[in-house]
Amino acid sequence: MAHDIILVIEDEKDIQELIRFNLERDGYKVLSADSVEAAGKMLVKQLPDLVLLDLMLPGENGYDFCRRLRSEERTQHLPVIMVTARDEDADIVAGLEVGADDYITKPFSPRVLLARVRAVLRRRAVEPEDSADRLVRGPVELDRTRHAVRIDGRPVAMTLSEFRILELLLRRPGVVFSRYQIVDAVHGSDYPVTDRSVDVQIVGLRRKLGKCSDQIETVRGVGYRFRTDAAS
Ligand code: CA
């Protein structure tokens, strides 16, 4: 929405200016910082609506900063989009695991930048995190207390793992979860993580979702998300 305040933390001046130009043209108010230290001082004075966070910064890096935002009550729900070098999947996964909401890879097009910003702001405005016992996303309905899933009102039998994965994705539609986060949600953090074990579960889950199977989107090299565009 226009007049939302966006804090851009980016040490490369050209990119910082490019981001500022495009956001301001779209009606956002932009604050810029060259480092995490500078951003921290700004955050004390004013809480923005969203943070665009470069990961590779002089001094404290973006990962540690994001982890810190999540650990502090005042900033724990502050939307963060990380900005990362292109195709470095490991960086993207690491960023999501410290709590970033989404990511943009450099070089990015202004259209992609604005689309991601709008989507994250919209998502956060609608639901910080849906903690309801009954989750309804389009034809998909999950009832946590009864441990039941319905598609178009028809019950669908799920394994416990499939149910937990679906619940995780439905609680925060549009958010990308890494395979590690998915395993953590299903088995707890002590469980050995293999990409394959998650992928196998997703195959089973998609099969059971039938016509809604494509709402679980594979984000290449990163993980999975429940698509919001098809969920309304
Ligand atoms: Ca940088």
Side-chain angles (χ1 to χ4, degrees):
M1 196 202 294
H3 309 307
D4 277 334
I5 300 167
I6 299 179
L7 173 59
V8 179
I9 310 173
E10 170 65 72
D11 59 318
E12 288 165 69
K13 274 285 175 209
D14 293 353
I15 297 175
Q16 192 190 94
E17 280 309 308
L18 177 74
I19 293 174
R20 172 189 284 280
F21 175 79
N22 283 286
L23 291 175
E24 285 183 345
R25 200 173 52 174
D26 214 43
Y28 296 101
K29 188 169 184 296
V30 178
L31 306 170
S32 306
D34 298 330
S35 69
V36 161
E37 288 73 17
K41 286 178 190 152
M42 290 177 170
L43 283 174
V44 172
K45 290 183 209 150
Q46 183 171 30
L47 210 55
D49 296 287
L50 183 144
V51 175
L52 277 171
L53 177 64
D54 182 25
L55 290 180
M56 292 302 130
L57 292 161
E60 190 184 357
N61 66 41
Y63 297 106
D64 292 340
F65 184 63
C66 189
R67 193 179 290 120
R68 201 143 57 79
L69 291 176
R70 290 293 171 257
S71 70
E72 289 172 14
E73 195 179 353
R74 183 165 168 265
T75 54
Q76 66 178 347
H77 296 302
L78 180 60
V80 175
I81 299 178
M82 58 178 172
V83 182
T84 164
R86 193 175 172 189
D87 273 347
E88 292 177 22
D89 294 342
D91 290 351
I92 296 169
V93 170
L96 293 170
E97 276 163 6
V98 294
D101 294 83
D102 207 343
Y103 63 91
I104 302 170
T105 52
K106 295 181 201 175
F108 50 82
S109 79
R111 280 171 57 197
V112 168
L113 168 75
L114 292 170
R116 293 283 166 93
V117 165
R118 285 191 206 115
V120 168
L121 285 171
R122 193 170 54 227
R123 199 188 294 153
R124 283 297 170 109
V126 174
E127 46 189 358
E129 184 178 69
D130 196 337
S131 60
D133 284 335
R134 189 167 160 272
L135 301 166
V136 181
R137 310 278 177 237
V140 182
E141 180 188 340
L142 181 143
D143 187 333
R144 204 165 66 88
T145 51
R146 295 180 186 179
H147 227 274
V149 175
R150 291 189 164 76
I151 311 283
D152 282 333
R154 298 173 64 151
V156 177
M158 301 241 163
T159 66
L160 183 59
S161 295
E162 289 164 352
F163 184 88
R164 285 187 178 158
I165 293 170
L166 184 62
E167 183 185 352
L168 176 75
L169 299 178
L170 289 180
R171 281 210 187 285
R172 295 187 68 190
V175 173
V176 185
F177 291 93
S178 71
R179 290 178 173 83
Y180 186 88
Q181 288 171 308
I182 291 171
V183 169
D184 198 19
V186 174
H187 299 288
S189 52
D190 299 338
Y191 197 83
V193 180
T194 64
D195 288 0
R196 175 135 177 82
S197 65
V198 174
D199 294 342
V200 167
Q201 295 290 338
I202 293 282
V203 168
L205 183 53
R206 280 195 176 126
R207 192 179 302 134
K208 290 179 181 177
L209 289 178
K211 68 166 197 175
C212 300
S213 62
D214 63 350
Q215 283 189 233
I216 296 181
E217 180 188 2
T218 304
V219 182
R220 194 183 62 82
V222 179
Y224 296 96
R225 72 168 130 199
F226 197 83
R227 284 170 52 197
T228 45
D229 50 345
S232 53

